[in-house]
Amino acid sequence: MEKLRLAYEHLMLKAFACKRGDYYFADADAYDGAANHLDETRTLILCALVNLKNNGADVERYIQRISSSQLLGAKEPCTLEVLNEVLEGMSDEGMV
C-alpha cells in the first residue's frame, strides 16, 4: 500500500507542479481514503494524467484505462483496483 500512496503523491506533485501540502490532494495521506471518495480520487488522477499528457508524457494508455472503465456498460467499472493498477504501472515504469 505504501508504494501506491507514494506513487499517488508523486503523480500529483509532478502533474500539478506543486509541493507536498500545497493542495489537500497532493499528499500520500489523501490516497488513504480513496475507497471512500472513489469519484473524487478517480477525477484527480485523471486530471493529473491529462496534465502530464499535455506536457508530453506518454500516459495515454493510463487515461484510456480509467476512462474506459467509466463508460456506461463497461465490462469493468472503475474501482479502487483499477486506480491501484494505474498507479502501480506508472511506478513500475518509473514515471512517478
Side-chain angles (χ1 to χ4, degrees):
M1 181 63 180
E2 189 63 25
K3 177 182 177 180
L4 295 173
R5 294 175 80 246
L6 292 176
Y8 171 84
E9 182 174 298
H10 290 145
L11 172 62
M12 294 302 143
L13 298 178
K14 187 174 184 179
F16 295 103
C18 63
K19 292 182 272 182
R20 186 174 196 254
D22 281 353
Y23 303 107
Y24 76 93
F25 58 82
D27 188 302
D29 293 341
Y31 198 67
D32 291 343
N36 297 325
H37 307 287
L38 189 58
D39 289 338
E40 179 182 6
T41 304
R42 180 184 58 224
T43 301
L44 287 168
I45 291 174
L46 197 52
C47 288
L49 291 170
V50 169
N51 280 350
L52 290 179
K53 181 181 177 196
N54 288 341
N55 288 323
D58 181 22
V59 294
E60 184 64 34
R61 67 189 168 281
Y62 297 117
I63 292 172
Q64 289 299 322
R65 178 71 176 110
I66 293 174
S67 298
S68 66
S69 65
Q70 288 180 269
L71 298 174
L72 192 60
K75 287 183 183 178
E76 180 184 359
C78 191
T79 61
L80 185 58
E81 288 74 27
V82 171
L83 299 181
N84 288 346
E85 179 185 297
V86 167
L87 291 173
E88 190 166 339
M90 293 183 76
S91 177
D92 290 349
E93 290 183 29
M95 298 178 91
V96 293

Coordinates of all heavy atoms in Angstrom, one line a residue:
M1 N 0.8 -1.2 0.0 CA 0.0 0.0 0.0 C 0.9 1.3 0.0 O 0.5 2.2 -0.6 CB -0.9 0.0 1.2 CG -1.9 1.1 1.3 SD -3.0 1.2 -0.1 CE -3.9 2.6 0.2
E2 N 2.0 1.2 0.7 CA 2.9 2.4 0.7 C 3.3 2.8 -0.6 O 3.4 4.0 -1.0 CB 4.1 2.1 1.7 CG 4.9 3.4 2.0 CD 4.1 4.5 2.7 OE1 3.1 4.2 3.4 OE2 4.5 5.6 2.5
K3 N 3.6 1.8 -1.5 CA 4.1 2.1 -2.9 C 3.0 2.9 -3.6 O 3.3 3.8 -4.3 CB 4.4 0.8 -3.6 CG 4.8 0.9 -5.0 CD 5.0 -0.4 -5.7 CE 5.4 -0.3 -7.1 NZ 5.6 -1.6 -7.8
L4 N 1.7 2.5 -3.4 CA 0.7 3.1 -4.1 C 0.5 4.5 -3.6 O 0.2 5.5 -4.4 CB -0.6 2.3 -4.0 CG -0.6 1.0 -4.7 CD1 -1.9 0.2 -4.3 CD2 -0.5 1.1 -6.2
R5 N 0.6 4.7 -2.3 CA 0.4 6.0 -1.7 C 1.5 7.0 -2.2 O 1.2 8.1 -2.6 CB 0.6 5.9 -0.1 CG -0.5 5.2 0.5 CD -0.3 5.0 2.0 NE -0.6 6.3 2.7 CZ 0.2 7.1 3.3 NH1 1.5 6.8 3.4 NH2 -0.2 8.2 3.9
L6 N 2.7 6.5 -2.3 CA 3.8 7.3 -2.8 C 3.7 7.6 -4.3 O 4.0 8.7 -4.8 CB 5.2 6.7 -2.5 CG 5.5 6.7 -1.0 CD1 6.8 5.9 -0.8 CD2 5.6 8.1 -0.4
A7 N 3.2 6.6 -5.0 CA 3.0 6.8 -6.5 C 2.0 7.9 -6.7 O 2.1 8.8 -7.5 CB 2.6 5.5 -7.2
Y8 N 0.9 7.8 -5.9 CA -0.2 8.8 -6.0 C 0.4 10.2 -5.7 O 0.2 11.2 -6.4 CB -1.3 8.5 -5.0 CG -2.3 9.6 -4.9 CD1 -3.4 9.7 -5.8 CD2 -2.2 10.5 -3.8 CE1 -4.3 10.7 -5.7 CE2 -3.2 11.6 -3.7 CZ -4.2 11.6 -4.6 OH -5.1 12.7 -4.5
E9 N 1.1 10.3 -4.6 CA 1.7 11.6 -4.2 C 2.6 12.2 -5.3 O 2.5 13.3 -5.7 CB 2.4 11.5 -2.9 CG 3.0 12.9 -2.4 CD 3.6 12.8 -1.0 OE1 2.9 12.5 -0.1 OE2 4.8 13.1 -0.9
H10 N 3.5 11.3 -5.8 CA 4.5 11.8 -6.8 C 3.7 12.2 -8.1 O 4.1 13.1 -8.8 CB 5.5 10.7 -7.1 CG 6.5 10.5 -6.0 ND1 7.0 9.3 -5.6 CD2 7.0 11.4 -5.1 CE1 7.8 9.4 -4.6 NE2 7.8 10.7 -4.2
L11 N 2.7 11.4 -8.4 CA 1.9 11.8 -9.6 C 1.3 13.2 -9.4 O 1.4 14.0 -10.3 CB 0.7 10.8 -9.8 CG -0.3 11.2 -10.9 CD1 0.3 11.3 -12.2 CD2 -1.4 10.1 -10.8
M12 N 0.7 13.5 -8.3 CA 0.1 14.8 -8.0 C 1.1 15.9 -8.0 O 0.9 17.0 -8.6 CB -0.6 14.8 -6.7 CG -1.9 13.9 -6.7 SD -3.1 14.3 -7.9 CE -3.6 12.7 -8.4
L13 N 2.3 15.7 -7.4 CA 3.3 16.7 -7.3 C 3.9 17.0 -8.7 O 4.1 18.2 -9.1 CB 4.5 16.2 -6.4 CG 4.1 16.0 -5.0 CD1 5.3 15.5 -4.2 CD2 3.5 17.2 -4.3
K14 N 4.1 16.0 -9.5 CA 4.6 16.1 -10.9 C 3.6 16.8 -11.8 O 3.9 17.7 -12.5 CB 5.0 14.8 -11.4 CG 5.7 14.8 -12.7 CD 6.2 13.4 -13.1 CE 7.0 13.4 -14.4 NZ 7.5 12.1 -14.7
A15 N 2.3 16.3 -11.7 CA 1.3 16.8 -12.6 C 0.9 18.2 -12.4 O 0.6 19.0 -13.3 CB 0.1 15.9 -12.6
F16 N 0.9 18.6 -11.1 CA 0.4 19.9 -10.7 C 1.5 20.9 -10.3 O 1.2 22.0 -9.9 CB -0.7 19.8 -9.6 CG -1.9 19.1 -10.1 CD1 -2.2 17.8 -9.7 CD2 -2.8 19.7 -10.9 CE1 -3.3 17.1 -10.1 CE2 -4.0 19.1 -11.4 CZ -4.2 17.7 -11.0
A17 N 2.7 20.4 -10.6 CA 3.9 21.3 -10.3 C 3.8 22.0 -9.0 O 3.9 23.2 -8.9 CB 4.1 22.3 -11.4
C18 N 3.6 21.2 -7.9 CA 3.5 21.7 -6.6 C 4.3 21.0 -5.6 O 5.0 20.0 -6.0 CB 2.0 21.7 -6.2 SG 1.3 20.0 -6.0
K19 N 4.3 21.4 -4.4 CA 5.0 20.8 -3.3 C 4.0 20.0 -2.4 O 2.8 20.4 -2.4 CB 5.8 21.8 -2.4 CG 7.0 22.4 -3.2 CD 7.7 23.3 -2.3 CE 7.0 24.7 -2.4 NZ 7.6 25.7 -1.6
R20 N 4.5 19.1 -1.7 CA 3.6 18.3 -0.8 C 2.9 19.3 0.2 O 3.5 20.1 0.8 CB 4.5 17.3 0.0 CG 3.7 16.4 0.9 CD 4.6 15.4 1.5 NE 3.8 14.3 2.0 CZ 3.6 14.1 3.3 NH1 4.1 14.9 4.2 NH2 2.9 13.1 3.7
G21 N 1.6 19.2 0.2 CA 0.8 20.0 1.1 C 0.3 21.3 0.5 O -0.5 22.0 1.1
D22 N 0.8 21.6 -0.7 CA 0.3 22.8 -1.4 C -1.2 22.7 -1.6 O -2.0 23.7 -1.5 CB 1.0 23.1 -2.7 CG 2.3 23.7 -2.6 OD1 2.7 24.1 -1.4 OD2 3.0 23.8 -3.6
Y23 N -1.7 21.5 -1.9 CA -3.1 21.2 -2.1 C -3.4 20.0 -1.2 O -2.6 19.2 -1.0 CB -3.4 20.9 -3.6 CG -3.0 22.0 -4.5 CD1 -1.9 21.8 -5.4 CD2 -3.7 23.2 -4.6 CE1 -1.5 22.8 -6.2 CE2 -3.3 24.2 -5.5 CZ -2.2 24.0 -6.3 OH -1.8 25.0 -7.2
Y24 N -4.6 20.0 -0.8 CA -5.0 18.9 0.1 C -4.8 17.5 -0.5 O -4.6 16.5 0.1 CB -6.5 19.0 0.6 CG -7.5 18.6 -0.5 CD1 -8.0 17.4 -0.5 CD2 -7.9 19.6 -1.4 CE1 -8.9 17.0 -1.5 CE2 -8.8 19.2 -2.4 CZ -9.3 18.0 -2.5 OH -10.2 17.6 -3.4
F25 N -4.9 17.4 -1.8 CA -4.8 16.2 -2.5 C -3.4 15.8 -2.9 O -3.1 14.7 -3.3 CB -5.7 16.1 -3.8 CG -5.4 17.2 -4.8 CD1 -4.3 17.1 -5.7 CD2 -6.1 18.4 -4.8 CE1 -4.0 18.1 -6.6 CE2 -5.8 19.4 -5.7 CZ -4.8 19.3 -6.6
A26 N -2.5 16.7 -2.7 CA -1.1 16.5 -3.1 C -0.3 15.9 -2.0 O 0.8 16.4 -1.6 CB -0.4 17.8 -3.7
D27 N -0.8 14.8 -1.4 CA -0.2 14.2 -0.2 C -0.6 12.8 -0.2 O -1.7 12.4 -0.5 CB -0.8 14.9 1.0 CG -0.1 14.5 2.3 OD1 -0.1 13.3 2.6 OD2 0.4 15.4 3.0
A28 N 0.4 11.9 0.1 CA 0.1 10.5 0.1 C -1.1 10.1 1.0 O -1.9 9.2 0.8 CB 1.3 9.7 0.6
D29 N -1.3 10.9 2.1 CA -2.4 10.6 3.0 C -3.8 10.8 2.3 O -4.7 10.1 2.7 CB -2.4 11.6 4.2 CG -1.1 11.4 5.1 OD1 -0.5 10.2 5.0 OD2 -0.8 12.2 5.9
A30 N -3.8 11.6 1.3 CA -5.1 11.8 0.6 C -5.5 10.5 -0.1 O -6.7 10.3 -0.3 CB -5.0 12.9 -0.4
Y31 N -4.6 9.6 -0.4 CA -5.0 8.4 -1.1 C -5.5 7.3 -0.1 O -6.1 6.4 -0.5 CB -3.8 7.8 -1.8 CG -4.2 6.8 -2.9 CD1 -4.9 7.2 -4.0 CD2 -3.9 5.5 -2.8 CE1 -5.3 6.3 -4.9 CE2 -4.3 4.5 -3.7 CZ -5.0 4.9 -4.8 OH -5.4 4.0 -5.7
D32 N -5.3 7.5 1.2 CA -5.8 6.6 2.2 C -7.3 6.4 2.2 O -7.8 5.3 2.3 CB -5.3 7.0 3.6 CG -3.8 6.9 3.8 OD1 -3.2 6.2 3.0 OD2 -3.3 7.5 4.7
G33 N -8.0 7.5 1.9 CA -9.4 7.4 1.9 C -10.0 7.2 0.5 O -11.2 7.5 0.3
A34 N -9.2 6.8 -0.5 CA -9.6 6.7 -1.9 C -10.9 5.9 -2.1 O -11.7 6.2 -2.8 CB -8.5 6.2 -2.7
A35 N -11.0 4.8 -1.3 CA -12.1 3.9 -1.5 C -13.4 4.6 -1.1 O -14.5 4.3 -1.6 CB -11.9 2.6 -0.7
N36 N -13.3 5.5 -0.1 CA -14.5 6.2 0.4 C -14.8 7.4 -0.5 O -15.9 8.0 -0.4 CB -14.3 6.7 1.8 CG -14.1 5.5 2.8 OD1 -14.7 4.5 2.6 ND2 -13.2 5.7 3.7
H37 N -13.9 7.9 -1.3 CA -14.1 9.0 -2.2 C -13.6 8.7 -3.6 O -12.8 9.4 -4.2 CB -13.2 10.2 -1.7 CG -13.5 10.5 -0.3 ND1 -14.7 11.2 0.1 CD2 -12.8 10.3 0.8 CE1 -14.6 11.3 1.4 NE2 -13.5 10.8 1.9
L38 N -14.1 7.5 -4.1 CA -13.7 7.0 -5.4 C -13.9 8.0 -6.5 O -12.9 8.1 -7.3 CB -14.4 5.7 -5.7 CG -13.8 4.9 -6.8 CD1 -12.4 4.5 -6.6 CD2 -14.7 3.6 -7.0
D39 N -15.0 8.6 -6.6 CA -15.2 9.5 -7.8 C -14.2 10.7 -7.7 O -13.7 11.0 -8.8 CB -16.7 10.1 -7.7 CG -17.7 9.0 -8.1 OD1 -17.3 8.0 -8.7 OD2 -18.9 9.2 -7.7
E40 N -14.0 11.3 -6.6 CA -13.1 12.4 -6.5 C -11.7 11.9 -6.8 O -10.9 12.6 -7.5 CB -13.1 13.0 -5.1 CG -12.2 14.1 -4.9 CD -12.2 14.7 -3.5 OE1 -12.8 14.2 -2.6 OE2 -11.5 15.7 -3.3
T41 N -11.3 10.8 -6.2 CA -9.9 10.3 -6.4 C -9.7 10.0 -7.9 O -8.6 10.3 -8.5 CB -9.6 9.0 -5.6 OG1 -9.9 9.4 -4.2 CG2 -8.2 8.6 -5.7
R42 N -10.7 9.3 -8.5 CA -10.6 9.0 -10.0 C -10.4 10.3 -10.8 O -9.6 10.4 -11.7 CB -11.8 8.2 -10.4 CG -11.8 7.8 -11.9 CD -13.1 7.2 -12.3 NE -14.2 8.0 -12.0 CZ -15.4 7.6 -11.4 NH1 -15.5 6.3 -11.1 NH2 -16.4 8.4 -11.2
T43 N -11.2 11.3 -10.5 CA -11.1 12.5 -11.2 C -9.8 13.2 -11.0 O -9.2 13.7 -12.0 CB -12.3 13.5 -10.7 OG1 -13.5 12.8 -11.0 CG2 -12.2 14.8 -11.5
L44 N -9.3 13.2 -9.8 CA -7.9 13.8 -9.6 C -6.9 13.1 -10.3 O -6.0 13.7 -11.0 CB -7.6 13.8 -8.1 CG -8.4 14.8 -7.2 CD1 -8.2 14.4 -5.7 CD2 -7.9 16.2 -7.5
I45 N -6.9 11.8 -10.3 CA -5.9 11.0 -11.1 C -6.0 11.3 -12.6 O -5.0 11.5 -13.3 CB -6.0 9.5 -10.7 CG1 -5.5 9.3 -9.3 CG2 -5.1 8.7 -11.7 CD1 -5.7 7.9 -8.8
L46 N -7.2 11.3 -13.1 CA -7.5 11.5 -14.5 C -7.0 12.9 -14.9 O -6.3 13.1 -15.9 CB -8.9 11.4 -14.8 CG -9.3 11.2 -16.3 CD1 -8.5 10.1 -16.9 CD2 -10.8 10.9 -16.4
C47 N -7.3 13.9 -14.1 CA -6.8 15.3 -14.3 C -5.3 15.4 -14.3 O -4.7 16.0 -15.2 CB -7.4 16.3 -13.3 SG -9.1 16.6 -13.5
A48 N -4.7 14.7 -13.4 CA -3.2 14.6 -13.3 C -2.6 14.0 -14.6 O -1.6 14.5 -15.1 CB -2.8 13.9 -12.1
L49 N -3.2 12.9 -15.0 CA -2.8 12.3 -16.2 C -2.9 13.2 -17.5 O -2.0 13.2 -18.3 CB -3.5 10.9 -16.4 CG -3.2 9.8 -15.4 CD1 -4.2 8.7 -15.6 CD2 -1.8 9.4 -15.6
V50 N -4.0 13.9 -17.5 CA -4.2 14.8 -18.7 C -3.2 15.9 -18.6 O -2.6 16.3 -19.7 CB -5.6 15.4 -18.7 CG1 -5.8 16.5 -19.7 CG2 -6.7 14.3 -19.0
N51 N -2.9 16.4 -17.4 CA -1.8 17.4 -17.3 C -0.5 16.9 -17.8 O 0.3 17.6 -18.5 CB -1.7 17.9 -15.9 CG -2.7 18.9 -15.5 OD1 -3.4 19.4 -16.3 ND2 -2.8 19.2 -14.2
L52 N -0.1 15.7 -17.4 CA 1.1 15.1 -17.8 C 1.1 14.9 -19.3 O 2.2 15.1 -20.0 CB 1.3 13.7 -17.1 CG 1.7 13.8 -15.6 CD1 1.8 12.4 -15.1 CD2 2.9 14.6 -15.4
K53 N 0.0 14.4 -19.9 CA -0.1 14.2 -21.3 C 0.1 15.5 -22.1 O 0.9 15.6 -23.1 CB -1.4 13.6 -21.7 CG -1.5 13.4 -23.2 CD -2.9 12.8 -23.6 CE -2.9 12.7 -25.1 NZ -4.2 12.5 -25.6
N54 N -0.5 16.6 -21.6 CA -0.3 17.9 -22.2 C 1.1 18.4 -22.1 O 1.5 19.3 -22.9 CB -1.3 18.9 -21.5 CG -2.7 18.7 -21.9 OD1 -3.0 18.0 -22.9 ND2 -3.6 19.2 -21.1
N55 N 1.9 17.9 -21.2 CA 3.3 18.2 -21.0 C 4.2 17.2 -21.7 O 5.4 17.2 -21.5 CB 3.7 18.4 -19.6 CG 3.1 19.6 -19.0 OD1 3.0 20.7 -19.6 ND2 2.6 19.5 -17.7
G56 N 3.6 16.4 -22.6 CA 4.4 15.5 -23.4 C 4.6 14.1 -22.8 O 5.4 13.3 -23.5
A57 N 4.1 13.7 -21.7 CA 4.3 12.4 -21.2 C 3.4 11.4 -21.9 O 2.3 11.7 -22.4 CB 3.9 12.4 -19.7
D58 N 4.0 10.2 -22.0 CA 3.2 9.1 -22.7 C 2.4 8.3 -21.7 O 2.7 7.3 -21.2 CB 4.3 8.1 -23.3 CG 3.6 7.0 -24.1 OD1 2.4 7.1 -24.5 OD2 4.3 5.9 -24.3
V59 N 1.2 8.9 -21.4 CA 0.3 8.3 -20.4 C -1.1 8.0 -21.0 O -2.0 7.7 -20.3 CB 0.1 9.3 -19.2 CG1 1.4 9.4 -18.5 CG2 -0.4 10.6 -19.7
E60 N -1.2 8.0 -22.3 CA -2.5 7.8 -23.0 C -3.1 6.4 -22.5 O -4.3 6.4 -22.3 CB -2.3 7.8 -24.5 CG -3.7 7.7 -25.2 CD -4.6 8.8 -25.0 OE1 -4.2 10.0 -24.8 OE2 -5.9 8.5 -24.9
R61 N -2.3 5.4 -22.4 CA -2.9 4.1 -22.0 C -3.5 4.1 -20.6 O -4.5 3.4 -20.4 CB -1.8 3.0 -22.1 CG -0.7 3.1 -21.1 CD 0.4 2.1 -21.5 NE 1.6 2.4 -20.7 CZ 2.5 3.4 -21.0 NH1 2.3 4.2 -22.1 NH2 3.6 3.6 -20.3
Y62 N -2.9 4.9 -19.7 CA -3.5 5.1 -18.4 C -4.8 5.9 -18.4 O -5.7 5.6 -17.7 CB -2.5 5.7 -17.4 CG -1.2 4.8 -17.3 CD1 0.0 5.3 -17.7 CD2 -1.3 3.5 -16.7 CE1 1.1 4.5 -17.5 CE2 -0.2 2.7 -16.6 CZ 1.0 3.2 -17.0 OH 2.1 2.4 -16.8
I63 N -4.8 6.9 -19.2 CA -6.0 7.7 -19.4 C -7.1 6.8 -20.0 O -8.2 6.8 -19.5 CB -5.8 8.9 -20.3 CG1 -4.9 9.9 -19.6 CG2 -7.1 9.6 -20.7 CD1 -4.4 11.1 -20.5
Q64 N -6.8 6.0 -21.0 CA -7.8 5.1 -21.6 C -8.2 4.0 -20.6 O -9.4 3.7 -20.5 CB -7.2 4.4 -22.8 CG -7.0 5.3 -24.0 CD -8.3 5.9 -24.5 OE1 -9.3 5.2 -24.5 NE2 -8.2 7.1 -24.9
R65 N -7.3 3.6 -19.7 CA -7.7 2.5 -18.7 C -8.8 3.1 -17.8 O -9.7 2.4 -17.5 CB -6.5 2.1 -18.0 CG -6.7 1.1 -16.9 CD -7.1 -0.3 -17.5 NE -7.2 -1.3 -16.5 CZ -8.4 -1.8 -16.1 NH1 -9.5 -1.5 -16.8 NH2 -8.4 -2.7 -15.2
I66 N -8.5 4.3 -17.3 CA -9.5 4.9 -16.4 C -10.8 5.3 -17.1 O -11.9 5.0 -16.6 CB -8.9 6.1 -15.6 CG1 -7.8 5.6 -14.7 CG2 -10.0 6.8 -14.8 CD1 -7.0 6.7 -14.0
S67 N -10.6 5.9 -18.2 CA -11.8 6.4 -19.0 C -12.7 5.3 -19.5 O -13.9 5.4 -19.4 CB -11.4 7.2 -20.2 OG -10.6 8.3 -19.8
S68 N -12.1 4.2 -19.9 CA -12.9 3.1 -20.5 C -13.7 2.4 -19.3 O -14.8 1.8 -19.6 CB -12.1 2.1 -21.2 OG -11.2 1.4 -20.3
S69 N -13.2 2.5 -18.1 CA -13.9 1.8 -17.0 C -15.0 2.7 -16.5 O -15.8 2.3 -15.7 CB -12.9 1.5 -15.9 OG -12.4 2.6 -15.3
Q70 N -15.1 4.0 -17.0 CA -16.1 4.9 -16.5 C -17.4 4.8 -17.5 O -18.4 5.3 -17.1 CB -15.6 6.3 -16.5 CG -14.7 6.6 -15.4 CD -14.2 8.0 -15.4 OE1 -13.2 8.3 -16.0 NE2 -14.9 8.9 -14.8
L71 N -17.2 4.2 -18.6 CA -18.3 4.2 -19.6 C -19.5 3.4 -19.1 O -19.3 2.4 -18.4 CB -17.8 3.7 -20.9 CG -16.7 4.4 -21.6 CD1 -16.2 3.7 -22.9 CD2 -17.2 5.8 -22.0
L72 N -20.6 3.9 -19.5 CA -21.8 3.1 -19.1 C -21.8 1.8 -19.8 O -21.5 1.6 -21.0 CB -23.0 3.9 -19.6 CG -24.4 3.5 -19.1 CD1 -24.5 3.6 -17.6 CD2 -25.5 4.3 -19.8
G73 N -22.0 0.7 -19.0 CA -22.0 -0.6 -19.6 C -20.5 -1.2 -19.7 O -20.4 -2.2 -20.4
A74 N -19.6 -0.5 -19.1 CA -18.2 -1.0 -19.2 C -18.1 -2.4 -18.6 O -18.8 -2.7 -17.6 CB -17.2 -0.1 -18.5
K75 N -17.2 -3.2 -19.2 CA -17.0 -4.6 -18.7 C -16.6 -4.6 -17.3 O -17.0 -5.4 -16.4 CB -16.0 -5.3 -19.5 CG -16.5 -5.7 -20.9 CD -15.4 -6.5 -21.6 CE -15.9 -6.9 -23.0 NZ -14.8 -7.6 -23.7
E76 N -15.7 -3.6 -17.0 CA -15.2 -3.5 -15.6 C -15.3 -2.0 -15.2 O -14.8 -1.1 -15.8 CB -13.7 -3.8 -15.6 CG -13.0 -3.7 -14.3 CD -11.5 -4.0 -14.4 OE1 -11.0 -4.3 -15.4 OE2 -10.9 -3.9 -13.3
P77 N -16.1 -1.8 -14.2 CA -16.3 -0.4 -13.7 C -15.0 0.1 -13.0 O -14.2 -0.7 -12.6 CB -17.4 -0.5 -12.7 CG -17.4 -1.9 -12.2 CD -16.9 -2.7 -13.4
C78 N -14.9 1.4 -12.9 CA -13.7 2.0 -12.3 C -13.8 1.8 -10.8 O -14.7 2.3 -10.1 CB -13.6 3.5 -12.6 SG -12.0 4.1 -12.1
T79 N -12.9 1.0 -10.3 CA -12.8 0.6 -8.9 C -11.5 1.1 -8.4 O -10.6 1.5 -9.1 CB -13.0 -0.9 -8.7 OG1 -11.9 -1.5 -9.4 CG2 -14.3 -1.4 -9.3
L80 N -11.3 0.9 -7.1 CA -10.0 1.3 -6.5 C -8.9 0.4 -7.1 O -7.8 0.8 -7.2 CB -10.1 1.1 -5.0 CG -8.9 1.5 -4.2 CD1 -8.5 3.0 -4.4 CD2 -9.1 1.2 -2.7
E81 N -9.3 -0.8 -7.4 CA -8.3 -1.7 -8.0 C -7.8 -1.2 -9.4 O -6.6 -1.3 -9.7 CB -8.9 -3.1 -8.2 CG -9.1 -3.9 -6.9 CD -10.2 -3.4 -6.0 OE1 -11.2 -2.8 -6.6 OE2 -10.2 -3.5 -4.8
V82 N -8.7 -0.6 -10.1 CA -8.3 0.0 -11.4 C -7.3 1.1 -11.2 O -6.3 1.2 -11.8 CB -9.5 0.5 -12.2 CG1 -9.1 1.3 -13.4 CG2 -10.4 -0.7 -12.6
L83 N -7.6 2.0 -10.2 CA -6.7 3.1 -9.9 C -5.4 2.6 -9.3 O -4.3 3.1 -9.7 CB -7.4 4.0 -8.8 CG -8.7 4.7 -9.3 CD1 -9.2 5.6 -8.2 CD2 -8.6 5.4 -10.6
N84 N -5.4 1.6 -8.5 CA -4.2 1.0 -8.0 C -3.3 0.4 -9.1 O -2.1 0.6 -9.1 CB -4.5 -0.1 -7.0 CG -5.0 0.4 -5.7 OD1 -5.0 1.6 -5.4 ND2 -5.6 -0.5 -4.9
E85 N -4.0 -0.2 -10.1 CA -3.3 -0.8 -11.2 C -2.6 0.3 -12.0 O -1.4 0.2 -12.5 CB -4.3 -1.5 -12.1 CG -3.8 -2.1 -13.4 CD -4.9 -2.7 -14.2 OE1 -5.6 -3.6 -13.7 OE2 -5.1 -2.2 -15.3
V86 N -3.3 1.4 -12.2 CA -2.7 2.6 -13.0 C -1.5 3.1 -12.2 O -0.4 3.3 -12.8 CB -3.7 3.7 -13.2 CG1 -3.1 5.0 -13.7 CG2 -4.8 3.2 -14.2
L87 N -1.6 3.4 -10.9 CA -0.5 3.9 -10.1 C 0.6 2.9 -10.1 O 1.8 3.3 -10.2 CB -1.0 4.2 -8.7 CG -2.0 5.4 -8.6 CD1 -2.5 5.5 -7.1 CD2 -1.3 6.7 -9.0
E88 N 0.3 1.6 -9.9 CA 1.4 0.6 -9.9 C 2.2 0.6 -11.2 O 3.4 0.5 -11.3 CB 0.9 -0.7 -9.5 CG 1.9 -1.7 -9.2 CD 1.4 -3.0 -8.6 OE1 0.3 -2.9 -8.0 OE2 2.1 -4.0 -8.6
G89 N 1.4 0.6 -12.3 CA 2.0 0.6 -13.6 C 3.0 1.8 -13.8 O 4.1 1.7 -14.3
M90 N 2.5 3.0 -13.4 CA 3.3 4.2 -13.6 C 4.5 4.1 -12.7 O 5.6 4.5 -13.1 CB 2.5 5.4 -13.3 CG 1.4 5.7 -14.3 SD 0.5 7.2 -13.9 CE 1.7 8.4 -14.5
S91 N 4.4 3.6 -11.5 CA 5.5 3.4 -10.6 C 6.5 2.4 -11.2 O 7.7 2.7 -11.1 CB 5.0 3.0 -9.2 OG 6.1 2.8 -8.3
D92 N 6.1 1.3 -11.6 CA 6.9 0.3 -12.2 C 7.7 0.8 -13.4 O 8.9 0.4 -13.6 CB 6.1 -1.0 -12.6 CG 5.6 -1.7 -11.4 OD1 6.1 -1.4 -10.2 OD2 4.8 -2.6 -11.6
E93 N 7.1 1.7 -14.2 CA 7.8 2.3 -15.3 C 8.7 3.5 -15.0 O 9.3 4.0 -15.8 CB 6.7 2.8 -16.3 CG 6.0 1.6 -17.0 CD 5.0 2.1 -18.1 OE1 5.3 3.2 -18.7 OE2 4.0 1.4 -18.3
G94 N 8.7 3.8 -13.7 CA 9.5 5.0 -13.3 C 8.9 6.3 -13.7 O 9.7 7.3 -13.7
M95 N 7.7 6.4 -14.0 CA 7.1 7.6 -14.4 C 6.8 8.5 -13.2 O 6.7 9.7 -13.3 CB 5.8 7.4 -15.2 CG 6.0 6.6 -16.4 SD 4.5 6.3 -17.3 CE 4.4 7.7 -18.4
V96 N 6.5 7.9 -12.0 CA 6.3 8.6 -10.8 C 7.0 7.9 -9.7 O 7.4 6.8 -9.7 CB 4.8 8.7 -10.4 CG1 4.0 9.5 -11.4 CG2 4.1 7.3 -10.3

